[in-house]
PDB file of all heavy atoms in Angstrom:
ATOM      1  N   ARG F   1      25.188 -40.974  46.072  1.00  0.00           N
ATOM      2  CA  ARG F   1      26.013 -39.853  46.041  1.00  0.00           C
ATOM      3  C   ARG F   1      27.300 -40.176  45.244  1.00  0.00           C
ATOM      4  O   ARG F   1      28.356 -39.453  45.412  1.00  0.00           O
ATOM      5  CB  ARG F   1      26.478 -39.234  47.345  1.00  0.00           C
ATOM      6  CG  ARG F   1      25.237 -38.799  48.229  1.00  0.00           C
ATOM      7  CD  ARG F   1      25.587 -38.052  49.557  1.00  0.00           C
ATOM      8  NE  ARG F   1      24.469 -37.514  50.159  1.00  0.00           N
ATOM      9  CZ  ARG F   1      24.479 -36.831  51.363  1.00  0.00           C
ATOM     10  NH1 ARG F   1      25.712 -36.564  51.920  1.00  0.00           N
ATOM     11  NH2 ARG F   1      23.342 -36.424  51.899  1.00  0.00           N
ATOM     12  N   ARG F   2      27.189 -41.085  44.320  1.00  0.00           N
ATOM     13  CA  ARG F   2      28.211 -41.318  43.400  1.00  0.00           C
ATOM     14  C   ARG F   2      27.995 -40.572  42.101  1.00  0.00           C
ATOM     15  O   ARG F   2      26.907 -40.048  41.743  1.00  0.00           O
ATOM     16  CB  ARG F   2      28.253 -42.892  43.106  1.00  0.00           C
ATOM     17  CG  ARG F   2      28.555 -43.692  44.262  1.00  0.00           C
ATOM     18  CD  ARG F   2      28.528 -45.145  43.829  1.00  0.00           C
ATOM     19  NE  ARG F   2      29.389 -45.424  42.775  1.00  0.00           N
ATOM     20  CZ  ARG F   2      29.235 -46.469  41.884  1.00  0.00           C
ATOM     21  NH1 ARG F   2      28.277 -47.336  42.024  1.00  0.00           N
ATOM     22  NH2 ARG F   2      30.150 -46.657  40.941  1.00  0.00           N
ATOM     23  N   GLY F   3      29.150 -40.432  41.284  1.00  0.00           N
ATOM     24  CA  GLY F   3      28.995 -39.731  40.072  1.00  0.00           C
ATOM     25  C   GLY F   3      28.822 -40.673  38.863  1.00  0.00           C
ATOM     26  O   GLY F   3      29.568 -41.631  38.907  1.00  0.00           O
ATOM     27  N   HIS F   4      28.007 -40.316  37.964  1.00  0.00           N
ATOM     28  CA  HIS F   4      27.821 -41.110  36.681  1.00  0.00           C
ATOM     29  C   HIS F   4      29.171 -40.977  35.966  1.00  0.00           C
ATOM     30  O   HIS F   4      29.666 -39.892  35.863  1.00  0.00           O
ATOM     31  CB  HIS F   4      26.586 -40.586  35.983  1.00  0.00           C
ATOM     32  CG  HIS F   4      26.267 -41.431  34.845  1.00  0.00           C
ATOM     33  ND1 HIS F   4      26.985 -41.457  33.578  1.00  0.00           N
ATOM     34  CD2 HIS F   4      25.317 -42.382  34.683  1.00  0.00           C
ATOM     35  CE1 HIS F   4      26.418 -42.319  32.814  1.00  0.00           C
ATOM     36  NE2 HIS F   4      25.335 -42.945  33.392  1.00  0.00           N
ATOM     37  N   PRO F   5      29.664 -42.048  35.209  1.00  0.00           N
ATOM     38  CA  PRO F   5      30.841 -41.897  34.551  1.00  0.00           C
ATOM     39  C   PRO F   5      30.912 -40.992  33.414  1.00  0.00           C
ATOM     40  O   PRO F   5      32.001 -40.437  32.958  1.00  0.00           O
ATOM     41  CB  PRO F   5      31.124 -43.309  34.076  1.00  0.00           C
ATOM     42  CG  PRO F   5      29.737 -44.010  34.164  1.00  0.00           C
ATOM     43  CD  PRO F   5      29.113 -43.436  35.210  1.00  0.00           C
ATOM     44  N   LEU F   6      29.694 -40.541  32.842  1.00  0.00           N
ATOM     45  CA  LEU F   6      29.657 -39.613  31.781  1.00  0.00           C
ATOM     46  C   LEU F   6      29.215 -38.240  32.162  1.00  0.00           C
ATOM     47  O   LEU F   6      28.938 -37.416  31.328  1.00  0.00           O
ATOM     48  CB  LEU F   6      28.675 -40.120  30.661  1.00  0.00           C
ATOM     49  CG  LEU F   6      29.098 -41.389  30.040  1.00  0.00           C
ATOM     50  CD1 LEU F   6      27.988 -41.841  28.976  1.00  0.00           C
ATOM     51  CD2 LEU F   6      30.485 -41.420  29.522  1.00  0.00           C
ATOM     52  N   LEU F   7      29.092 -38.018  33.481  1.00  0.00           N
ATOM     53  CA  LEU F   7      28.508 -36.715  33.953  1.00  0.00           C
ATOM     54  C   LEU F   7      29.422 -35.554  33.613  1.00  0.00           C
ATOM     55  O   LEU F   7      28.835 -34.537  33.172  1.00  0.00           O
ATOM     56  CB  LEU F   7      28.409 -36.827  35.491  1.00  0.00           C
ATOM     57  CG  LEU F   7      27.805 -35.547  36.226  1.00  0.00           C
ATOM     58  CD1 LEU F   7      26.378 -35.351  35.714  1.00  0.00           C
ATOM     59  CD2 LEU F   7      27.851 -35.682  37.777  1.00  0.00           C
ATOM     60  N   ALA F   8      30.652 -35.648  33.716  1.00  0.00           N
ATOM     61  CA  ALA F   8      31.517 -34.485  33.377  1.00  0.00           C
ATOM     62  C   ALA F   8      31.483 -34.169  31.940  1.00  0.00           C
ATOM     63  O   ALA F   8      31.528 -32.989  31.591  1.00  0.00           O
ATOM     64  CB  ALA F   8      32.972 -34.918  33.727  1.00  0.00           C
ATOM     65  N   GLU F   9      31.199 -35.194  31.062  1.00  0.00           N
ATOM     66  CA  GLU F   9      31.108 -34.877  29.587  1.00  0.00           C
ATOM     67  C   GLU F   9      29.823 -34.292  29.220  1.00  0.00           C
ATOM     68  O   GLU F   9      29.748 -33.386  28.422  1.00  0.00           O
ATOM     69  CB  GLU F   9      31.357 -36.226  28.817  1.00  0.00           C
ATOM     70  CG  GLU F   9      32.690 -36.903  28.995  1.00  0.00           C
ATOM     71  CD  GLU F   9      32.792 -38.166  28.163  1.00  0.00           C
ATOM     72  OE1 GLU F   9      31.995 -38.262  27.189  1.00  0.00           O
ATOM     73  OE2 GLU F   9      33.519 -39.066  28.533  1.00  0.00           O
ATOM     74  N   GLU F  10      28.739 -34.719  29.924  1.00  0.00           N
ATOM     75  CA  GLU F  10      27.414 -34.171  29.526  1.00  0.00           C
ATOM     76  C   GLU F  10      26.937 -33.060  30.355  1.00  0.00           C
ATOM     77  O   GLU F  10      25.938 -32.327  29.814  1.00  0.00           O
ATOM     78  CB  GLU F  10      26.457 -35.381  29.678  1.00  0.00           C
ATOM     79  CG  GLU F  10      26.740 -36.640  28.778  1.00  0.00           C
ATOM     80  CD  GLU F  10      26.724 -36.227  27.325  1.00  0.00           C
ATOM     81  OE1 GLU F  10      25.781 -35.430  26.933  1.00  0.00           O
ATOM     82  OE2 GLU F  10      27.576 -36.593  26.534  1.00  0.00           O
ATOM     83  N   GLY F  11      27.441 -32.833  31.505  1.00  0.00           N
ATOM     84  CA  GLY F  11      27.113 -31.696  32.307  1.00  0.00           C
ATOM     85  C   GLY F  11      25.869 -31.835  33.083  1.00  0.00           C
ATOM     86  O   GLY F  11      25.448 -30.919  33.958  1.00  0.00           O
ATOM     87  N   GLY F  12      25.073 -32.873  32.956  1.00  0.00           N
ATOM     88  CA  GLY F  12      23.886 -33.127  33.680  1.00  0.00           C
ATOM     89  C   GLY F  12      23.656 -34.642  33.815  1.00  0.00           C
ATOM     90  O   GLY F  12      23.921 -35.426  32.941  1.00  0.00           O
ATOM     91  N   LEU F  13      22.958 -35.132  34.950  1.00  0.00           N
ATOM     92  CA  LEU F  13      22.783 -36.581  35.100  1.00  0.00           C
ATOM     93  C   LEU F  13      21.846 -37.071  34.164  1.00  0.00           C
ATOM     94  O   LEU F  13      22.033 -38.147  33.657  1.00  0.00           O
ATOM     95  CB  LEU F  13      22.317 -36.700  36.594  1.00  0.00           C
ATOM     96  CG  LEU F  13      22.204 -38.130  37.040  1.00  0.00           C
ATOM     97  CD1 LEU F  13      23.478 -38.923  36.804  1.00  0.00           C
ATOM     98  CD2 LEU F  13      21.787 -38.329  38.670  1.00  0.00           C
ATOM     99  N   ILE F  14      20.713 -36.373  33.894  1.00  0.00           N
ATOM    100  CA  ILE F  14      19.741 -36.877  32.880  1.00  0.00           C
ATOM    101  C   ILE F  14      20.377 -37.094  31.498  1.00  0.00           C
ATOM    102  O   ILE F  14      20.303 -38.137  30.900  1.00  0.00           O
ATOM    103  CB  ILE F  14      18.524 -35.901  32.865  1.00  0.00           C
ATOM    104  CG1 ILE F  14      17.811 -35.923  34.118  1.00  0.00           C
ATOM    105  CG2 ILE F  14      17.587 -36.432  31.677  1.00  0.00           C
ATOM    106  CD1 ILE F  14      16.614 -34.940  34.136  1.00  0.00           C
ATOM    107  N   GLN F  15      21.240 -36.067  31.104  1.00  0.00           N
ATOM    108  CA  GLN F  15      21.793 -36.157  29.844  1.00  0.00           C
ATOM    109  C   GLN F  15      22.811 -37.292  29.832  1.00  0.00           C
ATOM    110  O   GLN F  15      22.975 -38.005  28.796  1.00  0.00           O
ATOM    111  CB  GLN F  15      22.533 -34.859  29.489  1.00  0.00           C
ATOM    112  CG  GLN F  15      21.525 -33.635  29.301  1.00  0.00           C
ATOM    113  CD  GLN F  15      21.229 -32.956  30.564  1.00  0.00           C
ATOM    114  OE1 GLN F  15      21.339 -33.570  31.684  1.00  0.00           O
ATOM    115  NE2 GLN F  15      20.791 -31.727  30.467  1.00  0.00           N
ATOM    116  N   ALA F  16      23.554 -37.592  30.946  1.00  0.00           N
ATOM    117  CA  ALA F  16      24.581 -38.589  31.054  1.00  0.00           C
ATOM    118  C   ALA F  16      23.878 -39.954  30.898  1.00  0.00           C
ATOM    119  O   ALA F  16      24.414 -40.862  30.238  1.00  0.00           O
ATOM    120  CB  ALA F  16      25.386 -38.506  32.323  1.00  0.00           C
ATOM    121  N   VAL F  17      22.800 -40.137  31.519  1.00  0.00           N
ATOM    122  CA  VAL F  17      22.001 -41.426  31.537  1.00  0.00           C
ATOM    123  C   VAL F  17      21.535 -41.668  30.181  1.00  0.00           C
ATOM    124  O   VAL F  17      21.661 -42.783  29.571  1.00  0.00           O
ATOM    125  CB  VAL F  17      20.875 -41.403  32.535  1.00  0.00           C
ATOM    126  CG1 VAL F  17      20.055 -42.716  32.326  1.00  0.00           C
ATOM    127  CG2 VAL F  17      21.433 -41.364  34.028  1.00  0.00           C
ATOM    128  N   GLU F  18      20.991 -40.694  29.509  1.00  0.00           N
ATOM    129  CA  GLU F  18      20.409 -40.884  28.207  1.00  0.00           C
ATOM    130  C   GLU F  18      21.487 -41.222  27.131  1.00  0.00           C
ATOM    131  O   GLU F  18      21.358 -41.902  26.207  1.00  0.00           O
ATOM    132  CB  GLU F  18      19.516 -39.764  27.825  1.00  0.00           C
ATOM    133  CG  GLU F  18      18.175 -39.663  28.533  1.00  0.00           C
ATOM    134  CD  GLU F  18      17.397 -40.834  28.465  1.00  0.00           C
ATOM    135  OE1 GLU F  18      17.285 -41.450  27.310  1.00  0.00           O
ATOM    136  OE2 GLU F  18      16.770 -41.251  29.498  1.00  0.00           O
ATOM    137  N   ARG F  19      22.606 -40.462  27.234  1.00  0.00           N
ATOM    138  CA  ARG F  19      23.794 -40.672  26.344  1.00  0.00           C
ATOM    139  C   ARG F  19      24.266 -42.061  26.457  1.00  0.00           C
ATOM    140  O   ARG F  19      24.507 -42.771  25.479  1.00  0.00           O
ATOM    141  CB  ARG F  19      24.863 -39.788  26.676  1.00  0.00           C
ATOM    142  CG  ARG F  19      26.286 -40.077  26.269  1.00  0.00           C
ATOM    143  CD  ARG F  19      26.656 -39.606  24.892  1.00  0.00           C
ATOM    144  NE  ARG F  19      27.890 -40.098  24.504  1.00  0.00           N
ATOM    145  CZ  ARG F  19      29.080 -39.533  24.910  1.00  0.00           C
ATOM    146  NH1 ARG F  19      28.994 -38.495  25.672  1.00  0.00           N
ATOM    147  NH2 ARG F  19      30.267 -40.057  24.577  1.00  0.00           N
ATOM    148  N   GLU F  20      24.343 -42.638  27.643  1.00  0.00           N
ATOM    149  CA  GLU F  20      24.846 -43.941  27.903  1.00  0.00           C
ATOM    150  C   GLU F  20      23.832 -44.870  27.301  1.00  0.00           C
ATOM    151  O   GLU F  20      24.177 -45.989  26.738  1.00  0.00           O
ATOM    152  CB  GLU F  20      25.129 -44.207  29.331  1.00  0.00           C
ATOM    153  CG  GLU F  20      25.748 -45.578  29.523  1.00  0.00           C
ATOM    154  CD  GLU F  20      25.967 -45.947  31.034  1.00  0.00           C
ATOM    155  OE1 GLU F  20      25.178 -45.373  31.876  1.00  0.00           O
ATOM    156  OE2 GLU F  20      26.941 -46.643  31.389  1.00  0.00           O
ATOM    157  N   ARG F  21      22.514 -44.705  27.562  1.00  0.00           N
ATOM    158  CA  ARG F  21      21.538 -45.631  27.028  1.00  0.00           C
ATOM    159  C   ARG F  21      21.680 -45.740  25.580  1.00  0.00           C
ATOM    160  O   ARG F  21      21.537 -46.873  24.972  1.00  0.00           O
ATOM    161  CB  ARG F  21      20.149 -45.039  27.482  1.00  0.00           C
ATOM    162  CG  ARG F  21      19.029 -46.097  27.246  1.00  0.00           C
ATOM    163  CD  ARG F  21      17.676 -45.524  27.480  1.00  0.00           C
ATOM    164  NE  ARG F  21      17.517 -45.018  28.887  1.00  0.00           N
ATOM    165  CZ  ARG F  21      17.272 -45.771  29.921  1.00  0.00           C
ATOM    166  NH1 ARG F  21      17.168 -47.180  29.714  1.00  0.00           N
ATOM    167  NH2 ARG F  21      17.167 -45.325  31.159  1.00  0.00           N
ATOM    168  N   GLN F  22      21.801 -44.666  24.838  1.00  0.00           N
ATOM    169  CA  GLN F  22      21.937 -44.714  23.370  1.00  0.00           C
ATOM    170  C   GLN F  22      23.203 -45.457  22.959  1.00  0.00           C
ATOM    171  O   GLN F  22      23.079 -46.245  22.074  1.00  0.00           O
ATOM    172  CB  GLN F  22      21.998 -43.252  22.807  1.00  0.00           C
ATOM    173  CG  GLN F  22      20.738 -42.498  22.979  1.00  0.00           C
ATOM    174  CD  GLN F  22      20.865 -41.089  22.627  1.00  0.00           C
ATOM    175  OE1 GLN F  22      21.859 -40.611  22.087  1.00  0.00           O
ATOM    176  NE2 GLN F  22      19.807 -40.294  22.889  1.00  0.00           N
ATOM    177  N   ALA F  23      24.374 -45.154  23.676  1.00  0.00           N
ATOM    178  CA  ALA F  23      25.630 -45.766  23.273  1.00  0.00           C
ATOM    179  C   ALA F  23      25.535 -47.260  23.580  1.00  0.00           C
ATOM    180  O   ALA F  23      26.195 -48.108  22.852  1.00  0.00           O
ATOM    181  CB  ALA F  23      26.789 -45.140  24.146  1.00  0.00           C
ATOM    182  N   MET F  24      24.815 -47.720  24.594  1.00  0.00           N
ATOM    183  CA  MET F  24      24.724 -49.135  24.948  1.00  0.00           C
ATOM    184  C   MET F  24      23.726 -49.960  24.235  1.00  0.00           C
ATOM    185  O   MET F  24      23.663 -51.131  24.407  1.00  0.00           O
ATOM    186  CB  MET F  24      24.468 -49.274  26.483  1.00  0.00           C
ATOM    187  CG  MET F  24      25.639 -48.705  27.378  1.00  0.00           C
ATOM    188  SD  MET F  24      27.106 -49.689  27.239  1.00  0.00           S
ATOM    189  CE  MET F  24      26.563 -51.248  27.904  1.00  0.00           C
TER     190      MET F  24
END
């Protein structure tokens, strides 16, 4: 029940994970 650090920017957990994967 923690929040992904990019969740607020991306609006969805899947999008946040994929955005971070690309950035990393």
Side-chain angles (χ1 to χ4, degrees):
R1 298 186 178 182
R2 296 178 56 203
H4 190 282
L6 299 181
L7 183 61
E9 298 178 25
E10 297 299 318
L13 187 53
I14 295 178
Q15 294 87 340
V17 173
E18 291 304 323
R19 157 87 182 282
E20 184 182 32
R21 191 184 302 278
Q22 294 171 8
M24 293 294 293

